[in-house]
Amino acid sequence: MSFPSLALCGALLAAAMPVFAQSTDSSTAQKTASDTATAKIPFAGYDLTWMNGQNRQRDFPLTLKDQSGETVLTGVALLDGNFNYNFARPIDHTQTISAVTGRSQEFSLALASVGLETNYKNIIGRLWLQTGSLLHLVQETDGSVARGRNTGTGDLKFIREAAAGYHFNKAYGLNVELGIFMSYIGLESYVMQENWSYQRSLVCDFTPFYFQGARVQFYPARTFKTELWVMNGWQTYNSFNRQPGLGSSNYFRPNENLQLVANFYLGKDTRPAADSLAAGAAAYPRRLRFHHDNSIVARYYHKPRNQRRGITQAAFSLNNHYGFEEGAGAARRQNFMLGSSVAHRLWFAQDKLAFTVRAGFVKNPSRYLSFSPSVVGFADGGTQLTAKELTTTFDVMPSDFVTFRLEYLHRLANVPYFAGRGGTTSPSGYADQPLPAAWQPDLRRTEDRAILSVNFRL
């Protein structure tokens, strides 16, 4: 599934959290020389544009400043498109098991987004609008919008992020915000330009991309950030039950070459059982969801800018996940999710070329977090799921504003899980065909794909 800048914290742009979901769409206001000389700025002087899940922009040309030179408002625009080729060539052109690519053998505009951000005079304000094919892929999993009226992804799906808050000059910064945020769970971002690979890892794709609620960010030291979150639920605009979800995120960056992260989530994200609805709120199931992920991102080789020949940078990232659901008939021994993703990246030619290799796995026996391989005609049958993946990615980056990307992805599951030649919609591949009684989606244990993508960001 990735963040907003904080007032008086120019360098915090690079400190933004990554998201299964998370985005660093910050164009943080730079303070005047006199202000910066006395301000306590977390992660001051760090260049974090190399990190997995972080925006690699160094310049933000759409910036409005006041007469003193302080940034008042920053605009950002991005476009991301892809051509996804699935070697199984499903007849319905439906790409499954992905929150990034929804179609195969077709060109797709995955994401188009424009936004405005401000950190002027300690005020925190953000509004990002969005459209594109991945909106449906991400938001269709939000079952909370079926509870009552005045809900629905249709009301909010075009708002990627919107928040208001205030920055308090305590320690190295204290920020209080309320709104819709990109998720803090996971390493890889909602915005593909910020990730080392285009298709997100399985462990990140199965976790949230957005939250609606409130958060408090506190920077007790120059190298550390901790956050407390209260939200409606696990990637939901509304809530399933009376209890809100709670979260915690912790970042430690002793220098610009190392990042350590630990994130936590606790909430009740199931709707009442149908046979207990008449009993009222007391009959709500006590099914508890817990999720934890931690990551290490380290750069172990870096050439100075005046020596940019051959390999210029080398880094790796490791992202681990563990979570479970228990209660109301759910046993932790089956209702758990375990997974990991490790990536290694090399930069060449003055950082204009890069090559990434990533491997990962996920184990989710009850499939409570996994994507369903077909909307119709699919019977789970209680089969457990373990999947593995290997990805290679080659990037061409002529500037900080454009990325051309070619990627090859291989996935393997212990059960038929990925779309085959027959597709997952109907015998003809069209959704309006009545389904024969014996029809089942064509699912395979392996998947091979090639993805060509181009993104622009200013």
Side-chain angles (χ1 to χ4, degrees), residues 114-127:
V114 293
L116 295 174
E117 300 183 351
T118 184
N119 298 281
Y120 191 60
K121 306 297 184 183
N122 286 35
I123 297 172
I124 299 173
R126 236 171 2 268
L127 176 60

Side-chain angles (χ1 to χ4, degrees), residues 298-446:
R299 182 173 62 179
Y300 63 89
Y301 181 77
H302 182 214
K303 276 187 177 180
R305 288 190 172 274
N306 58 356
Q307 300 177 17
R308 289 298 177 95
R309 293 184 179 180
I311 297 176
T312 53
Q313 298 186 89
F316 72 88
S317 69
L318 175 64
N319 186 218
N320 305 305
H321 288 247
Y322 173 72
F324 63 84
E325 282 191 348
E326 65 177 4
R332 191 184 306 184
R333 65 179 179 273
Q334 289 293 326
N335 287 275
F336 72 88
M337 185 263 215
L338 177 68
S340 185
S341 176
V342 60
H344 185 268
R345 185 172 175 91
L346 297 174
W347 288 260
F348 308 85
Q350 298 181 344
D351 295 338
K352 296 187 182 299
L353 304 177
F355 180 73
T356 302
V357 177
R358 186 189 67 199
F361 83 96
V362 64
K363 184 177 180 65
N364 189 203
S366 68
R367 300 190 182 186
Y368 74 94
L369 285 184
S370 305
F371 294 145
S372 175
S374 177
V375 175
V376 294
F378 173 69
D380 191 332
T383 54
Q384 299 187 7
L385 174 66
T386 300
K388 302 175 182 178
E389 62 186 346
L390 180 64
T391 306
T392 57
T393 307
F394 180 68
D395 288 345
V396 178
M397 302 167 286
S399 76
D400 288 349
F401 307 118
V402 178
T403 302
F404 299 89
R405 177 168 283 178
L406 178 63
E407 184 164 293
Y408 185 86
L409 172 68
H410 173 73
R411 287 176 167 180
L412 170 69
N414 65 322
V415 295
Y417 189 55
F418 305 103
R421 175 67 179 136
T424 56
T425 304
S426 72
S428 67
Y430 284 84
D432 58 359
Q433 177 189 2
L435 295 180
W439 183 84
Q440 289 289 313
D442 182 10
L443 300 178
R444 311 291 175 85
R445 291 186 58 196
T446 62

Side-chain angles (χ1 to χ4, degrees), residues 100-298:
V100 178
T101 51
R103 303 289 291 173
S104 63
Q105 280 68 24
E106 294 180 4
F107 293 95
S108 296
L109 176 63
L111 181 64
S113 186
V114 293
L116 295 174
E117 300 183 351
T118 184
N119 298 281
Y120 191 60
K121 306 297 184 183
N122 286 35
I123 297 172
I124 299 173
R126 236 171 2 268
L127 176 60
W128 276 88
L129 304 180
Q130 65 175 353
T131 189
S133 60
L134 69 81
L135 268 66
H136 179 71
L137 298 174
V138 171
Q139 295 172 342
E140 70 175 0
T141 62
D142 185 354
S144 73
V145 297
R147 187 185 188 194
R149 296 178 298 179
N150 308 322
T151 68
T153 55
D155 298 333
L156 299 172
K157 66 180 180 180
F158 298 114
I159 299 178
R160 186 178 130 208
E161 189 169 3
Y166 194 79
H167 171 86
F168 297 90
N169 299 318
K170 302 294 183 182
Y172 279 81
L174 173 67
N175 304 281
V176 180
E177 300 179 74
L178 184 147
I180 298 174
F181 304 96
M182 306 315 300
S183 168
Y184 65 92
I185 299 290
L187 173 66
E188 292 175 306
S189 173
Y190 178 81
V191 178
M192 283 70 74
Q193 178 258 12
E194 299 175 353
N195 300 326
W196 291 353
S197 301
Y198 190 80
Q199 170 62 58
R200 302 183 194 93
S201 63
L202 286 165
V203 289
C204 280
D205 247 10
F206 289 173
T207 52
F209 289 98
Y210 62 85
F211 289 123
Q212 180 157 269
R215 70 180 182 187
V216 176
Q217 301 175 314
F218 182 52
Y219 301 80
R222 187 177 69 90
T223 59
F224 181 68
K225 173 178 68 171
T226 185
E227 303 188 3
L228 178 64
W229 290 64
V230 180
M231 50 275 199
N232 288 340
W234 180 272
Q235 190 167 292
T236 64
Y237 288 119
N238 308 107
S239 60
F240 284 105
N241 292 301
R242 290 186 173 182
Q243 299 87 347
L246 301 176
S248 173
S249 179
N250 303 276
Y251 275 65
F252 177 57
R253 294 184 176 119
N255 54 63
E256 71 176 22
N257 296 313
L258 179 63
Q259 172 180 275
L260 306 175
V261 181
N263 299 318
F264 302 88
Y265 176 87
L266 187 68
K268 296 182 177 180
D269 295 280
T270 54
R271 60 185 292 175
D275 57 359
S276 67
L277 288 175
Y284 279 22
R286 295 183 177 275
R287 180 174 291 192
L288 186 68
R289 174 175 293 176
F290 170 82
H291 197 88
H292 163 66
D293 82 273
N294 59 76
S295 61
I296 301 172
V297 187

